[in-house]
């Protein structure tokens, strides 16, 4: 049976599969990152002495499924985001390289990443908001406020209006610099590796090359841009009343110092590093398989 030519959607399909795979494998790390980023010491939250202590307390009360709170919006959001991101980013990057001379391919990569990320954030912010709120339903609370993703959206709209679904949107747009730095650094390293091996751009490299490029670019992007994740998490948290990027920043720094802006950065790197490697490895391999459907006889 002839397989349809899907090569025009290789980035979309590869990114979709990468988002699904990484979420299934790494969601518990994401939950821990969100909880540590949101924790300003308020008595309503369970206080964890370490990441291992958090896992023990969550599992003791809610079982293993407690580590997968917010899994549904995470799965939906990651698959849509990565699929659209790779497809739109590569299309825009190609257009800029062919039609707009900025004098630097890295600049074109950063522009492509920021524009693409901002467009996708307009679509996915409500999904990420529900993920954050579901992840912040603690095991020490007698009753859970939300029963699931759709219930969270319904209650948010009823209590806060449609704008409530876009809490944290500004920090999310600022956070597109994270994706832009990551994808720009990744693309640059892959292109340089292709050149070093005498191969044209977009050639299929070894798995080791992709692991090195994805892990290095992710650590760089996460560490540099992490404060936006803390601010966004706190602004989306239904347990507190953080509002406004500037006010949230000042409140965090005044109460916890500059280091408060990097709360959860370690677990973010621990979580996002394997997630990035899984996402990009899956993306590159699925993209290659999809590309093989072109011009089949």
């Amino acid at each position: 049976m002839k397989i349809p030519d899907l090569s025009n959607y290789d980035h979309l399909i590869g990114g979709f599969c990468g988002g699904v795979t990484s979420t299934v494998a790494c969601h518990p790390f994401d939950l821990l990152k969100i909880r540590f980023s949101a924790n300003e010491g308020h008595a309503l939250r369970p206080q964890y002495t370490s990441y291992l202590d958090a896992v023990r307390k969550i599992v003791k009360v809610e079982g293993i499924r407690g580590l997968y709170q917010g899994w549904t919006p995470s799965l939906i959001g990651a698959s849509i985001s990565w699929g659209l991101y790779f497809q739109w980013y590569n299309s825009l990057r190609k257009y800029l390289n062919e039609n707009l001379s900025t004098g630097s391919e890295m600049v074109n990569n950063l522009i492509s990443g920021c524009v693409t990320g901002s467009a996708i954030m307009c679509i996915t912010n409500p999904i990420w908001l529900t993920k954050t709120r579901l992840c912040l339903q603690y095991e020490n609370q007698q009753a859970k406020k939300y029963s699931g993703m759709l219930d969270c959206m319904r209650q948010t709209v009823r209590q806060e209006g449609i704008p409530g679904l876009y809490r944290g949107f500004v920090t999310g747009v600022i956070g597109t610099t994270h994706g832009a730095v990551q994808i720009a650094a990744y693309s640059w390293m892959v292109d340089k590796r292709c050149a070093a091996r005498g191969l044209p751009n977009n050639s299929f490299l070894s798995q080791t090359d992709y692991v090195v490029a994805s892990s290095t670019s992710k650590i760089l992007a996460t560490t540099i841009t992490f404060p936006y994740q803390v601010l966004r998490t706190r602004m989306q948290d239904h347990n507190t009343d953080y509002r406004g990027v500037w006010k949230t920043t000042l409140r965090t720094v005044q109460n916890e110092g500059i280091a408060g802006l990097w709360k959860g950065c370690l677990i973010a790197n621990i979580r996002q590093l394997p997630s990035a490697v899984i996402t990009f490895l899956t993306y590159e391999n699925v993209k290659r398989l999809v590309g093989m459907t072109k011009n089949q006889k």
Side-chain angles (χ1 to χ4, degrees):
M1 183 178 69
K2 182 180 178 181
I3 301 175
D5 182 358
L6 300 173
S7 58
N8 288 333
Y9 305 100
D10 55 348
H11 297 294
L12 176 68
I13 298 171
F16 180 92
C17 293
V20 169
T21 306
S22 63
T23 300
V24 171
C26 302
H27 182 74
F29 293 107
D30 209 12
L31 179 135
L32 294 177
K33 183 219 43 168
I34 289 173
R35 291 198 173 184
F36 274 82
S37 293
N39 188 8
E40 76 291 74
H42 198 287
L44 67 86
R45 308 180 195 276
Q47 300 301 310
Y48 308 123
T49 58
S50 66
Y51 298 126
L52 184 59
D53 178 57
V55 171
R56 280 198 299 260
K57 288 180 177 178
I58 294 170
V59 172
K60 181 179 179 180
V61 177
E62 301 182 304
I64 295 296
R65 66 178 298 176
L67 297 175
Y68 282 86
Q69 289 188 96
W71 185 80
T72 299
S74 183
L75 188 65
I76 295 172
S79 58
I80 292 175
S81 295
W82 281 115
L84 293 178
Y85 196 96
F86 280 119
Q87 186 72 21
W88 292 354
Y89 166 80
N90 282 284
S91 296
L92 182 56
R93 179 191 180 204
K94 180 180 179 181
Y95 175 82
L96 292 180
N97 286 335
E98 292 176 352
N99 299 280
L100 180 63
S101 177
T102 61
S104 171
E105 185 175 343
M106 178 64 80
V107 172
N108 286 344
N109 291 349
L110 288 170
I111 293 173
S112 300
C114 286
V115 172
T116 300
S118 298
I120 293 173
M121 189 57 60
C122 293
I123 300 171
T124 60
N125 196 84
I127 300 174
W128 298 128
L129 178 129
T130 61
K131 170 195 166 183
T132 298
R133 293 189 170 183
L134 290 173
C135 285
L136 292 175
Q137 295 195 118
Y138 298 105
E139 65 276 5
N140 65 342
Q141 295 174 333
Q142 293 184 348
K144 298 292 177 68
K145 183 175 182 179
Y146 309 115
S147 61
M149 176 180 169
L150 293 179
D151 180 57
C152 181
M153 285 187 172
R154 279 195 297 265
Q155 289 198 48
T156 299
V157 172
R158 186 166 62 245
Q159 297 168 9
E160 306 172 47
I162 295 295
L165 293 174
Y166 283 87
R167 286 187 70 175
F169 176 74
V170 174
T171 51
V173 171
I174 294 172
T176 59
T177 55
H178 173 278
V181 170
Q182 180 186 1
I183 197 70
Y186 177 83
S187 299
W188 181 82
M189 284 186 279
V190 168
D191 289 347
K192 289 298 182 182
R193 185 58 176 163
C194 287
R197 296 179 61 180
L199 300 171
N201 286 352
N202 296 319
S203 296
F204 190 74
L205 300 172
S206 70
Q207 304 300 310
T208 301
D209 289 330
Y210 293 130
V211 169
V212 172
S214 59
S215 57
T216 303
S217 61
K218 190 61 178 180
I219 291 173
L220 179 67
T222 298
T223 304
I224 291 175
T225 66
F226 190 74
Y228 98 86
Q229 296 190 45
V230 174
L231 299 177
R232 188 179 183 209
T233 294
R234 295 188 175 192
M235 290 173 66
Q236 292 182 337
D237 185 2
H238 61 282
N239 296 299
T240 56
D241 61 349
Y242 285 99
R243 292 183 183 274
V245 177
W246 182 240
K247 288 184 178 179
T248 304
T249 303
L250 286 179
R251 185 170 165 184
T252 299
V253 173
Q254 288 172 353
N255 294 338
E256 303 162 65
I258 293 294
L261 295 174
W262 272 267
K263 259 192 169 179
C265 186
L266 176 59
I267 194 63
N269 271 303
I270 292 173
R271 180 267 175 190
Q272 292 174 355
L273 187 56
S275 176
V277 171
I278 291 171
T279 299
F280 280 84
L281 276 179
T282 304
Y283 160 72
E284 294 289 358
N285 284 280
V286 171
K287 183 182 72 170
R288 184 191 186 195
L289 291 175
V290 173
M292 292 169 66
T293 65
K294 186 176 184 179
N295 298 326
Q296 289 191 31
K297 301 293 185 180

